[in-house]
Amino acid sequence: MEIVSDVRSHGGRQLVVKHASAATGTDMTFSIFLPPQAEGGGKLPVIWYLSGLTCTHANVTEKGEYRAACAEHGLIFVAPDTSPRGEGVPDDHSGSYDFGLGAGFYVDATQEPFAKNYRMWTYVTEELPALVAAEFPADMGRQGITGHSMGGHGALTVALSHPGRFSSVSTFAPIVAPSQVPWGEKALGGYLGDEPEQWRQHDSVALIEDGARLDELLVDVGTADPFLNTELKPELLRRACEDAGIDLQLNLREGYDHSYYFISTFMSAHLAWHAERLC
Ligand SMILES: N[C@@H](CCC(=O)N[C@@H](CSC=O)C(=O)NCC(=O)O)C(=O)O
């Protein structure tokens, strides 16, 4: 593990860390904010933030405005990258933003040439949690997860597939049913092939239809989000949660778009909501 940077902020430390990943076969970089309470010697709750298409760890770290709330509540905040990167890692042949580099979709690819490196499911569910638990004062009995867009999809599918691991789950503008929208059809088809059963394992609405459950869920989406009706479709999640008896708080935020201006506006409210359940 290499500490790439370590900067004082809000009384805590904002670190960027690089390490060799066995899951992806590449170096991976993530950011981790240690609030001031980390200096007290005890273990603290941890929030995982999964980012969206085109992002690295840096987007939320620089624009997410999470540190004041994490310092107030004593939350560790971890933001991984969205795909493997580096020499030899295959990308989308057309160079588009919604597949390949920056677009790992939080699955373990089965299709060539992606299967060797694109193993973001294993990375975010196994390898990174083990590393963070070993190297930082993270209380793995008190975990929350959130994410944006593709990362909202990741947060939901990871939480739905690991009952009991997360005490709090929220998302910003998530892709809730990738099997039914263009971004998801392209990614699931490209990484998993024409395997409807595998797609269902990585589709939040399908997972809920198939019996996966969360106690409760907080979701914020902007009404001026250009992807609202084409890629996000929160009404599909609302219907699935209603049918399954999942307590969904879906906030439609008037005039907000898909950007970090939207995410940063509601970040502190999400972190307070997580803290109520974790602290
Ligand atoms: N038109 C954009 C599309 C990419 C985009 O909007 N990315 C979002 C996430 S979308 C779903 O996963 C994002 O978070 N971008 C990074 C940022 O800092 O805003 C494009 O061409 O890039």
Side-chain angles (χ1 to χ4, degrees):
M1 194 179 87
E2 174 196 343
I3 305 293
V4 176
S5 60
D6 182 350
V7 183
R8 194 115 192 113
S9 183
H10 291 273
R13 292 164 65 197
Q14 179 62 65
L15 298 112
V16 174
V17 178
K18 188 159 98 172
H19 67 110
S21 166
T24 66
T26 65
D27 282 350
M28 292 294 287
T29 301
F30 66 94
S31 75
I32 179 165
F33 178 67
L34 302 175
Q37 295 86 340
E39 282 164 28
K43 294 200 169 190
L44 298 173
V46 56
I47 302 290
W48 304 93
Y49 177 93
L50 303 186
S51 296
L53 294 167
T54 73
C55 290
T56 67
H57 70 282
N59 300 68
V60 71
T61 307
E62 293 166 2
K63 300 191 289 191
E65 299 183 22
Y66 55 81
R67 279 173 288 269
C70 286
E72 178 187 345
H73 300 296
L75 300 170
I76 292 174
F77 189 100
V78 184
D81 202 346
T82 57
S83 78
R85 299 176 195 273
E87 211 172 309
V89 174
D91 194 3
D92 185 29
H93 56 81
S94 67
S96 64
Y97 73 87
D98 55 4
F99 190 80
L101 299 182
F105 248 83
Y106 305 101
V107 301
D108 284 350
T110 57
Q111 303 301 295
E112 298 305 340
F114 304 103
K116 179 177 171 204
N117 304 115
Y118 283 77
R119 296 178 52 77
M120 291 301 292
W121 181 263
T122 297
Y123 181 68
V124 299
T125 64
E126 295 177 21
E127 186 173 34
L128 186 58
L131 179 71
V132 167
E135 300 289 341
F136 298 99
D139 180 350
M140 302 305 274
R142 290 187 292 162
Q143 299 185 65
I145 191 164
T146 186
H148 170 230
S149 196
M150 174 183 75
H153 143 75
L156 290 172
T157 54
V158 167
L160 285 162
S161 305
H162 293 85
R165 183 185 288 197
F166 302 97
S167 305
S168 54
V169 183
S170 81
T171 56
F172 301 89
I175 303 166
V176 304
S179 309
Q180 302 185 45
V181 300
W183 277 343
E185 288 168 351
K186 179 174 179 180
L188 298 183
Y191 294 130
L192 303 177
D194 185 16
E195 294 286 344
E197 273 316 303
Q198 287 210 30
W199 287 33
R200 288 189 80 78
Q201 301 299 313
H202 292 283
D203 181 307
S204 302
V205 166
L207 281 165
I208 293 169
E209 287 171 356
D210 292 348
R213 292 291 178 267
L214 298 171
D215 291 337
E216 56 178 346
L217 174 59
L218 170 65
V219 176
D220 277 74
V221 188
T223 62
D225 189 320
F227 304 116
L228 182 63
N229 299 314
T230 50
E231 306 285 0
L232 308 180
K233 295 185 178 280
E235 70 280 1
L236 297 178
L237 182 65
R238 192 203 296 273
R239 199 176 314 140
C241 287
E242 274 170 10
D243 290 348
I246 295 173
D247 181 6
L248 168 67
Q249 181 181 327
L250 175 60
N251 299 318
L252 296 174
R253 301 296 189 180
E254 191 60 37
Y256 284 90
D257 67 10
H258 199 64
S259 71
Y260 272 89
Y261 292 105
F262 154 66
I263 298 168
S264 59
T265 301
F266 299 104
M267 180 63 88
S268 61
H270 277 237
L271 292 172
W273 189 87
H274 284 273
E276 275 173 28
R277 287 148 183 84
L278 294 169
C279 297

